[in-house]
Amino acid sequence: YVRFSLENTGATGAESRYAYLGPIRIRHRTRTKVCISFDDGLRTIYDNANAFTLMQSLEIPANVGLISDVVDTGGTRLSWAEIAEMEAAGWDIVAHSKSHANFRLDGLTEAQIEEEVSGSIDAVRAHGYPCDFFIWPGGAYTETAKTYALAKNIKACFDIGTDFVKTPYGVTSGIFGALNRVPAENTGGTTTALTYLDNAIKHGYSCFLYAHSIIAGASGANTTNETEWATLMQALKVRRDQGLIDIVNFSDWYDGLAGTRPNVSRVAA
């Protein structure tokens, strides 16, 4: 409550009167956690100055989802040396399957599902990375695939979606297998992602953004124009400097969870 004192200053011996305003309730809003991830392990995120280099200068970490069979094969793929540089800068290195198989549509046998999940996790861990998280190729997964991820002690998996997840985080809630994300790519994707982020800030949710490739040309399928990406990164920095968000990798996001898990949503940038 707030108490106001009202006095008649024009009369001798005037008595004070009090007015009360309330009750006043202060609602604590969780500071929005933002995680950025890059799917497929493409070299453009390392080569383009507006991706890894810019993000380092802005102290913005991210996460890289690797297709383990094509890492260090030259051409468009990241090398293990480049991946090590990213990890040293605070980026999380996570699994994204062995061959980018679609767990729903490709008609995989159970043995193939296990190999795509477990084999990719093992390959990343063999290079010294904890690999505590898994990104489903195309956002598609099955309960069988989820079971193999759990068996490898994966802490959370990520798919694709535009809805905020409004139930508490936890393996038994079902969110373990499908933390939503909205892309920050394609035509207008970075603008959409920023709008989504501002809604997450408004409601106190965490927000997961993802992209694939940062390029000099126009944004298109699985690509983001470098200038648009740089603009998005600067916008994130502004919101962080204003105290509205924390930009973290998956591990720091997960380690920050305590008690009842907070609302979460993953968006593609």
Side-chain angles (χ1 to χ4, degrees):
Y1 289 86
V2 175
R3 187 179 76 167
F4 296 91
S5 176
L6 306 176
E7 296 184 9
N8 182 353
T9 57
T12 302
E15 296 181 0
S16 296
R17 293 290 184 269
Y18 298 98
Y20 292 86
L21 176 65
I24 297 174
R25 294 182 176 88
I26 299 175
R27 185 179 68 177
H28 173 72
R29 176 170 293 166
T30 302
R31 185 157 151 156
T32 292
K33 300 294 188 295
V34 179
C35 292
I36 302 165
S37 54
F38 291 98
D39 294 359
D40 297 356
L42 298 170
R43 289 195 76 244
T44 62
I45 65 174
Y46 181 86
D47 289 341
N48 194 298
N50 284 330
F52 176 59
T53 301
L54 173 65
M55 294 170 73
Q56 267 191 301
S57 69
L58 299 177
E59 299 182 337
I60 294 177
N63 309 271
V64 182
L66 300 178
I67 305 171
S68 60
D69 279 356
V70 296
V71 176
D72 217 354
T73 56
T76 62
R77 302 296 173 173
L78 289 168
S79 69
W80 286 113
E82 292 161 345
I83 291 165
E85 189 176 341
M86 291 176 166
E87 194 268 345
W91 291 36
D92 262 6
I93 312 303
V94 305
H96 190 41
S97 80
K98 282 174 62 71
S99 69
H100 208 271
N102 187 300
F103 290 99
R104 287 195 195 135
L105 303 179
D106 288 353
L108 303 179
T109 66
E110 184 166 343
Q112 289 172 323
I113 292 173
E114 181 181 12
E115 181 63 13
E116 286 288 337
V117 176
S118 304
S120 63
I121 296 167
D122 289 342
V124 176
R125 288 176 178 170
H127 284 80
Y129 304 113
C131 193
D132 290 327
F133 305 92
F134 197 99
I135 298 173
W136 301 116
Y141 73 100
T142 64
E143 289 303 310
T144 299
K146 177 179 169 181
T147 298
Y148 286 118
L150 275 170
K152 300 299 288 187
N153 297 314
I154 290 295
K155 295 177 178 177
C157 301
F158 299 89
D159 68 353
I160 300 170
T162 58
D163 292 334
F164 289 112
V165 179
K166 298 179 180 177
T167 53
Y169 176 85
V171 172
T172 57
S173 73
I175 304 174
F176 161 85
L179 287 165
N180 275 339
R181 63 177 180 172
V182 171
E185 59 188 9
N186 309 319
T187 303
T190 54
T191 301
T192 300
L194 193 57
T195 299
Y196 190 97
L197 169 61
D198 286 338
N199 282 331
I201 293 170
K202 178 180 178 181
H203 295 290
Y205 299 147
S206 292
C207 179
F208 297 85
L209 310 174
Y210 83 93
H212 286 81
S213 182
I214 309 303
I215 63 171
S219 297
N222 292 340
T223 61
T224 308
N225 170 265
E226 59 186 4
T227 302
E228 293 174 8
W229 184 260
T231 300
L232 177 62
M233 293 301 101
Q234 294 289 351
L236 292 180
K237 179 182 181 299
V238 168
R239 285 159 177 74
R240 182 186 63 195
D241 292 348
Q242 292 172 335
L244 298 174
I245 64 174
D246 293 317
I247 309 170
V248 297
N249 59 29
F250 288 158
S251 295
D252 288 341
W253 164 77
Y254 187 88
D255 290 345
L257 301 178
T260 302
R261 303 301 192 181
N263 293 330
V264 295
S265 185
R266 183 173 187 244
V267 180

